[in-house]
Amino acid sequence: MIRPRLLLVYRTKNARLLGSGAGVIDRTGPVPRLLVRTEKGLAVHDMTAEGARSAEPVAFFPGRARGRPIIGAGPVAPDLSHAVLVDENSYRLVTRDGTLLWERPCTGPAGNPVRYVRWVRPPGAEPRVWLAVPAGGADPNDAIDLALFSVAGDELDRLVVPAGGRQRSVDLALGPDARPLAVGLRVAARAMTFRVGSGGAVSHAADRALLDGDPSGSGFVTVGLSDGGDTTDVRWHSARGKDTATVVTCADLLASERDTEPVHIAPDITGHSGGHLSDDLLLLELEDAYDEIETELFGAERWRPSSHWLVRSGRPLGMVAYPEESHLDDLTPAVPFGDGTWLTRGRDVIYRWGLDR
């Protein structure tokens, strides 16, 4: 068992909004931030003060959203200078006083939109923002275009990802230079990952979910079915070739806790939670589908809906054992940061965790 160190308890009723679309944890800024969308605008809270229930936002971007509240995990520039507000049919770049600098249409045909916002800040450069935009050439039902814009509205780069179908969503894994390593896509219940090659070309990497990019820029991590098709595994992919460096299965994770009672019935590694804590340390989540019969046979105390695990350089270290008072019910998804810390949340609390060195 790995017992983490509780670094900070951030108390806020806005924690309830996470997962609803009205609140999101922003991993792209210099510190962990909670973004909350209201009818009046987008509020940004730095989660750096212990017990900060009444802390005022460090930034506020006025403007009402008529579509989904927040799109993407990074709609606010790292320096808090600008934000992208998303309506049903457009993106609007605004300053902190609400000034509209420019507007761009969202991508996709009617009834099949794809929206995405992700700010980046390359070393020595001004902030820039990736948006999913209308396809430049291909049928919008068969491709997704991701374009990089400057604050002035100039298009600096574009990626074309061949992905058809309805209910599409997209995400990017970025390296330290803010360049894309991989593109993760979901089409309905199916996940796909594409490697971003030289010159912006995109080639298919695997029929798997994109979990995270390596902070060093050497590759990215995916989650999907094992070769045998009977379980799931996590794999490290090289950014420059088609090599798969390491594979870790559910069985590998469970075997790292030999001296404990069974903690799962039939788990899978989820692609919705976890990622890199550092270059060589990865946080993963195992998740059980609820099985009423198994729970009745073995008891609820023998069944754990979800759990977090650590892997260092491809070697499972064990399961994270949180203090019982911090997570009385099922675990929430883990939000990792590249500084060795990660966040979980309770009803009205967000916890920041670290490891003893």
Side-chain angles (χ1 to χ4, degrees), residues 21-24 26 34-45 57-65 68-77 80 82-86 92 94-96 117 119:
V24 69
D26 186 355
L34 172 64
L35 310 184
V36 178
R37 192 74 174 96
T38 69
E39 291 187 355
K40 296 182 179 180
L42 181 62
V44 183
H45 299 267
V58 295
F60 185 80
F61 297 88
R64 185 173 181 177
R68 293 177 60 187
I70 295 178
I71 303 296
V76 177
L80 302 179
H82 303 80
V84 175
L85 306 182
V86 184
R92 292 180 292 127
V94 299
T95 60
R96 289 172 62 168
V117 180
W119 282 91

Side-chain angles (χ1 to χ4, degrees), residues 213-218 236 276-282 311-313 338 340:
D214 189 323
S216 68
S218 62
W236 283 255
H276 279 282
L277 298 178
S278 63
D279 285 346
D280 65 342
L281 188 61
L282 192 71
V311 177
R312 187 183 298 278
S313 300

Side-chain angles (χ1 to χ4, degrees), residues 123-136:
E126 295 296 318
R128 303 168 180 181
V129 62
W130 284 99
L131 302 176
V133 298

Side-chain angles (χ1 to χ4, degrees), residues 167-234:
Q167 299 178 351
R168 294 176 294 175
S169 62
V170 62
D171 194 14
L172 284 173
L174 303 173
D177 58 353
R179 293 291 306 153
L181 300 174
V183 182
L185 295 166
R186 289 188 180 273
V187 181
R190 183 188 177 196
M192 296 174 283
T193 300
F194 294 81
R195 178 183 284 106
V196 179
S198 60
V202 176
S203 58
H204 186 256
D207 190 11
R208 302 169 60 83
L210 176 65
L211 181 65
D212 201 6
D214 189 323
S216 68
S218 62
F220 54 95
V221 179
T222 65
V223 175
L225 282 178
S226 61
D227 291 337
D230 56 343
T231 184
T232 51
D233 62 30
V234 58

Side-chain angles (χ1 to χ4, degrees), residues 236-321:
W236 283 255
H237 305 266
S238 170
R240 298 185 179 276
K242 297 183 179 181
D243 297 334
T244 300
T246 309
V247 177
V248 172
T249 67
C250 289
D252 295 330
L253 296 176
L254 295 173
S256 66
E257 289 291 352
R258 296 179 182 274
D259 298 329
T260 64
E261 291 292 327
V263 293
H264 284 281
I265 295 172
D268 284 320
I269 302 173
T270 176
H272 298 281
S273 173
H276 279 282
L277 298 178
S278 63
D279 285 346
D280 65 342
L281 188 61
L282 192 71
L283 179 65
L284 300 177
E285 180 177 339
L286 286 184
E287 189 174 54
D288 261 343
Y290 181 73
D291 191 315
E292 183 176 359
I293 295 177
E294 292 281 353
T295 304
E296 289 181 357
L297 288 175
F298 297 105
E301 70 279 0
R302 291 275 303 276
W303 176 69
R304 184 185 299 273
S306 62
S307 57
H308 296 159
W309 301 71
L310 293 180
V311 177
R312 187 183 298 278
S313 300
R315 183 176 64 86
L317 300 181
M319 186 177 75
V320 178

